[in-house]
Amino acid sequence: MLLSQLSAAASPLTQEQVQKLQGLVAELNPIQQAWVSGYLAANANTAALAGNVGAAAGAVEAAPLTILYGSQTGNAKSVASQLKSQAESRGLSVKLVNMADYKTSALKKEKFLAIAVSTYGEGEPPEDAEALHAFLASKKAPKLDGVKVAVIGLGDTSYEFFCQTAKDFEQRLTKLGADVVYQRADLDVDYEEQATQWIAGALDIFEPDLKAQQQSQSNVVSMGLSTPVAQSQYTKQNPFAAELSVVQKITGRDSTKDVRHVEISLEGSDITYLPGDSLGVFFLNDEVLVDKVLAALKIDPETSVTIGSETLSVRTALIEKLELTQSYPGFVEKYAQATENAQLLALLDDKAVLREYIEARQIFDVILQNPATISAQALVDCARKLQARLYSIASSQAEVEDEVHLTVGLVEFDAFGEKHFGGCSGYLANRAEEGVKVKVFSEHNDNFRLPANDETPVIMVGPGTGIAPFRAFLQERDTREATGENWLFFGNPHFTQDFLYQVEIQGYVKSGLLNKVDLAFSRDQAQKIYVQDRLREQGAEVFAWLEKGAHFYVCGDANRMAKDVHQALIDIVKAHGGKDDEQAEQYLKELRSHNRYQKDVY
């Protein structure tokens, strides 16, 4: 039914509400309408579940399988959604909740609990899992005697603290008395097949108790409302072949950095995105290096190999299907065993030494420095599948429509007498010609969103390529004619060489969209100045903005910049809010809990 056909008789809305709804929809583009539709459906579903709609009076509803997920890039959310779908196909009652939205008071009511969580950085929980992760380690955490639990972790074995957050959750839940009913899975980046197996195994364990409970509570009628939000047919498993339309260097000729502005056409796809989302990009490995590897191993490039159910030439497999740039311990271990290389086998005995070895090398280097007799299939079996690289989207679809823009820093370094490049950044900057097709998909990030109220002020801290999502934010707020104030902190080495999107930013200042801009060009004076220094200089006003409801965003390097910015915020809250260290930390925790302090870090 169209809105123009609505009447008070045909709908539960009053005529005044119909008119208001018609007015709102008229102002929204199709993407915004889809978002509102999904929001209202989710809101109605939550209200129905909370109110126990349709339940018999006085009846106690059967406890569902509660699935909690904490996701940094969307992988854990995807696994959790798959678990929900499979559980529902078995007729099981299930509730899927982002850890950031989970009320800890509900923990003591749980009977069946599944955790899907990723790990990033130095064994740290993802942003949306931080509060629950801390709560479970606190004295406030309730006893969970008899609660049945299963945990699945996602991570990357190239990092030292692989799947540490999943291990933490299982350990803390067990300490509180929960029963682990299915073995935890710690999955690497190539996780899909193992995740499917784990889901089936975990549901086999949960199903008998859940069904027995549901049958004993059969007098309760469930009226959960569920209106699926339209999702793209193009996913990580089924990416869209998009045209690469622009790759333009936006740093100066004398810059120490090489940053490219990339534009990709989404025409012909149903891919939608919001400011704060990421784009997954699949790439091709360097053909020259692949040929060097095959020559060093004396493998015929046309030799057939099998990857999963697909048969193809080993050369094609190495170019299109396998990870050959980002090193990780698993490859060294398999290659050492397959080639019986004594030096590589010796590295496996000391994890610290092994990590030091792979940190300086790409997989190409490991092979070329250790040539051996190995079959084409054995070589392929040593490597894991090539993973898409995720980039923060630098555009608003409300402005650029069938396009998506990225800000890509070229990874390049010298090692062993040769220039090395990052897998995807090297492909986009050096080898992919404009007009070629690149496989892409959008990855939604509900933990990095503009405030719903366009009058809310925002503070954005994005040095280097961290400017990307804030370019999208500014485009979106400009298109929406948002009246909330905007304050940008941007930094890079040199003003003349590294002021990314300078003309656009100056245009937003001139138009009045950007109310304040603070710049930190670290190498333009004797003493290095960074964005955290500019924050401290503006501490009184930063705190004043926070006190009047501003949302604070950080994008960029997780290991140094984001931590330095966090410490600067602590110092600002202490200095201008009259708080001690503990109170300042609590102040920021409260900002996070209200989605007013959000980070997109890598």
Side-chain angles (χ1 to χ4, degrees), residues 489-512:
F489 287 83
F490 173 74
N492 238 348
H494 297 286
F495 174 86
T496 58
Q497 303 293 322
D498 306 303
F499 194 166
L500 307 183
Y501 302 113
Q502 178 181 354
V503 173
E504 292 181 20
I505 290 171
Q506 289 173 331
Y508 286 137
V509 171
K510 187 175 181 179
S511 72

Side-chain angles (χ1 to χ4, degrees), residues 181-203:
V181 296
Y182 193 64
Q183 184 176 358
R184 186 188 73 247
D186 297 333
L187 305 186
D188 203 356
V189 293
D190 187 11
Y191 63 85
E192 286 89 351
E193 184 177 340
Q194 289 173 287
T196 299
Q197 294 171 355
W198 184 90
I199 287 170
L203 289 178

Side-chain angles (χ1 to χ4, degrees), residues 37-77:
S37 174
Y39 170 80
L40 292 175
N43 200 48
N45 189 32
T46 301
L49 290 173
N52 206 13
V53 175
V60 179
E61 190 173 1
L65 170 62
T66 298
I67 306 169
L68 300 180
Y69 69 87
S71 190
Q72 192 70 21
T73 63
N75 289 340
K77 179 181 178 182

Side-chain angles (χ1 to χ4, degrees), residues 382-421:
C382 289
R384 65 189 184 191
K385 291 181 182 178
L386 185 146
Q387 298 296 308
R389 303 302 195 251
L390 288 175
Y391 293 99
S392 300
I393 291 175
S395 57
S396 162
Q397 202 164 18
E399 177 166 318
V400 303
E401 298 180 342
D402 285 341
E403 292 182 2
V404 61
H405 299 176
L406 308 176
T407 309
V408 178
L410 175 62
V411 176
E412 55 182 324
F413 60 95
D414 293 313
F416 316 112
E418 293 187 355
K419 181 75 75 175
H420 288 58
F421 296 99

